[in-house]
Amino acid sequence: MDGAQVGGRADPAIVVRGLRKSYGDVEAVRGIDLNVPRGEIFAILGPNGAGKTTTVEILEGHLARSGGEVSVLGFDPGNHERSFRERIGIVLQSASVDPYLSVGETIELFRGYYPDPLPRETVLELVGLSAQRGTLVRRLSGGQQRRLDVAIGLAGDPELLFLDEPTTGFDPSARRGAWEMIRGLRSLGKTVVLTTHYMEEAEYLADRVAILVKGAIVAEGSVEELVRRGAHTTIHFRVEGPSPPGHLAAEPAGDGGAYVITTVEATAALHRLTGWALEEGVELQELTVAAPSLEDVFLSLAGSSGRNGGP
Amino acid sequence: MRSAGILARQVRYENLSFWRNPPAAFFTIVFPLMFLVIFNLIFGDSTVELPGGTAGISTFYVPGIIALSVIGACYTNVAMGVAFSREQGLLKRTRGTPLPTWALLGGKVLHAVAIGVVLVVVVAAAGVLFYDVAVPTRTLPAFVLTLIIGSATFSALGLAVTAAVPNADAAPAIVNASILPLLFVSDVFIPLDDAPTWLTTFADIFPVRHFSLALQASFNPFERGAGLEPAHLGVMAVWMVASLLVATRFFRWESRR
């Protein structure tokens, strides 16, 4: 395998070519390519059942692949080598720890598995559990347990951290807190691969995003690139009186004179709209200009792929 | 040396967790004692035919309940523990760390064996104090060897049976159904003096009766030799090896849904 030798910091953390995974007749992953440089926060975004977890579990070494080339930190995860496991951290979607150990003891237990772990207090601080170090795991809240999951993933000071749906089931404020925590990992220079089905999560955290739908990557790039590539600015407004003329391309949106313009050239469209309104002497009420969001891109891609790939 | 250190560390954390749940720990230890008391209450006046003579029934029940203790601590607890850890994702999580598999499972087994030793001491002490049973002295080496082979065999069986346990909900049913009937036909709960030959022949296929009979030899007051039972120990060793092969071949890290 070229381009992914052990040790060279310049080599990408993850190189995947033509990865496939089938369960019987069902193809869960259908030939995907990935390239994750070191130090990047990379998100795999997709709806439930898209193959996100299957993909990361192959990268982690938990699942055997059916085909393709995979190199993670220069290792083939399929070999499940100890030296590979020493250099990665894994936060599974759901996995408990011994409920009768304290937070501090749990971190200590896992730290002991690694040759060069992070200090216990550093780990606790990173995930915001310093105050809970003496609390038994069974007495933690759901959000705190998830933080402990991340803490265990970080205990060995991994070069690469996998986070499988880190905030699924969180309430909005807990999610915010978790995001701040994950963002904080960037300053440690770690490579992070996370899966999520929350658009905002990918948007907020990731340097680059791969959108996975039905086992295939339908788009990949930075959030800005993805948004620029696919989506449109939307201009909402309401007028009383004259209808907007055809060249404005305004579609009625509901009743009471509400309209929406969807465009890739927001500046020009807005100029035409306001020009018309001034000429007519009408007021544009409830005027909003919404930047394209990753959600729009995601929905358009997931939708179109669904039509092509569906039975 | 480093391996021993890793293993010792695992046992230490298993032990820490075990004592953090005092009700569970208490009943684990009292459970075999309750059987010893109940069976002696019910059958207290009867006698049992042992090789060499007739003895009071407690001479039968002390080794019987010692067998129960080891089987409960090793077979039942190891199988349940692994099934539950698997269900909760604890096995899978640990598999993603550098800790070797043998250390994870070895830690659980060694802790189970340690609990088994505590139970054996408690039951033997109760036998001496309340039921007038003599501690094995001349037979002590054979007794200890039987316990070592017994714990190893039933721990290996406990690991092997988890291959047949799809998830934690099914664990108690499968684990109990596979061992309880055998305890009744293997000279653990009831002496098989009057049982039909086909039943003892059937029971002799499995390791439980060989274990209880080997323990019985250590407590037999008419025993003039060392009390070593190579034939019984041999059958147990065969089961141990077979179980280890099954456990290694069919071990699963995740529950089936």
Side-chain angles (χ1 to χ4, degrees), chain B residues 52-139:
Chain B
T54 304
I57 196 72
S58 39
T59 313
F60 169 84
Y61 275 121
V62 169
I65 299 306
I66 284 176
L68 172 73
S69 305
V70 171
I71 290 168
C74 296
Y75 177 77
T76 311
N77 284 356
V78 166
M80 299 277 198
V82 168
F84 279 88
S85 300
R86 191 169 61 191
E87 180 90 2
Q88 292 162 351
L90 216 150
L91 294 189
K92 187 175 176 184
R93 184 202 290 273
T94 309
R95 186 181 183 231
T97 75
L99 185 74
T101 308
W102 62 259
L104 175 67
L105 298 177
K108 287 187 182 297
V109 164
L110 274 188
H111 181 256
V113 170
I115 297 300
V117 169
V118 171
L119 299 184
V120 168
V121 169
V122 167
V123 170
V128 171
L129 290 176
F130 307 116
Y131 298 109
D132 215 16
V133 171
V135 209
T137 45
R138 192 175 52 252
T139 58

Side-chain angles (χ1 to χ4, degrees), chain A residues 136-202:
Chain A
L136 291 191
V137 171
R138 62 197 293 262
R139 303 225 162 82
L140 295 180
S141 72
Q144 289 171 333
Q145 296 225 5
R146 203 66 185 132
R147 283 164 182 271
L148 179 60
D149 286 338
V150 176
I152 293 169
L154 288 170
D157 197 13
E159 292 167 43
L160 168 62
L161 182 68
F162 292 99
L163 298 171
D164 198 358
E165 306 214 348
T167 66
T168 295
F170 278 28
D171 63 46
S173 80
R175 177 164 301 137
R176 274 285 154 189
W179 287 356
E180 294 307 327
M181 175 188 87
I182 295 166
R183 267 199 165 175
L185 302 180
R186 187 196 302 269
S187 59
L188 299 178
K190 305 212 174 294
T191 311
V192 177
V193 172
L194 73 99
T195 71
T196 181
H197 57 252
Y198 296 116
M199 265 66 67
E200 321 89 277
E201 187 158 295

Side-chain angles (χ1 to χ4, degrees), chain A residues 94-126:
Chain A
S94 67
S96 68
V97 288
D98 194 321
Y100 290 97
L101 295 180
S102 73
V103 168
E105 287 160 356
T106 304
I107 303 295
E108 209 48 50
L109 173 66
F110 281 89
R111 282 182 74 246
Y113 298 159
Y114 297 88
D116 201 7
L118 283 177
R120 185 178 71 173
E121 292 308 309
T122 309
V123 176
L124 289 172
E125 256 166 55
L126 279 169

Side-chain angles (χ1 to χ4, degrees), chain B residues 7-237:
Chain B
L7 206 51
R9 197 166 173 277
Q10 287 301 113
V11 176
R12 195 149 49 80
Y13 277 94
E14 293 280 346
N15 195 44
L16 193 59
S17 162
F18 177 80
W19 294 105
R20 288 270 169 82
N21 192 352
F26 175 78
F27 282 102
T28 300
I29 288 167
V30 164
F31 184 72
L33 267 187
M34 296 197 297
F35 278 93
L36 185 67
V37 171
I38 289 168
F39 281 121
N40 274 296
L41 275 176
I42 299 174
F43 302 112
D45 298 330
S46 12
T47 53
V48 62
E49 294 299 321
L50 293 175
T54 304
I57 196 72
S58 39
T59 313
F60 169 84
Y61 275 121
V62 169
I65 299 306
I66 284 176
L68 172 73
S69 305
V70 171
I71 290 168
C74 296
Y75 177 77
T76 311
N77 284 356
V78 166
M80 299 277 198
V82 168
F84 279 88
S85 300
R86 191 169 61 191
E87 180 90 2
Q88 292 162 351
L90 216 150
L91 294 189
K92 187 175 176 184
R93 184 202 290 273
T94 309
R95 186 181 183 231
T97 75
L99 185 74
T101 308
W102 62 259
L104 175 67
L105 298 177
K108 287 187 182 297
V109 164
L110 274 188
H111 181 256
V113 170
I115 297 300
V117 169
V118 171
L119 299 184
V120 168
V121 169
V122 167
V123 170
V128 171
L129 290 176
F130 307 116
Y131 298 109
D132 215 16
V133 171
V135 209
T137 45
R138 192 175 52 252
T139 58
L140 193 62
F143 178 57
V144 171
L145 182 68
T146 305
L147 286 179
I148 291 171
I149 293 179
S151 341
T153 302
F154 288 101
S155 300
L157 264 172
L159 289 177
V161 79
T162 60
V165 176
N167 53 55
D169 292 330
I174 293 173
V175 173
N176 287 327
S178 59
I179 198 70
L180 263 178
L182 280 179
L183 294 177
F184 278 97
V185 300
S186 300
D187 280 291
V188 172
F189 289 158
I190 312 160
L192 286 192
D193 297 347
D194 306 325
T197 319
W198 65 264
L199 190 60
T200 52
T201 310
F202 171 78
D204 279 339
I205 300 171
F206 303 98
V208 179
R209 185 156 190 257
H210 296 284
F211 187 39
S212 63
L213 291 182
L215 289 170
Q216 237 174 55
S218 302
F219 282 88
N220 185 349
F222 311 108
E223 175 66 49
R224 293 288 162 257
L228 193 66
E229 298 284 337
H232 290 316
L233 298 185
V235 176
M236 288 157 67

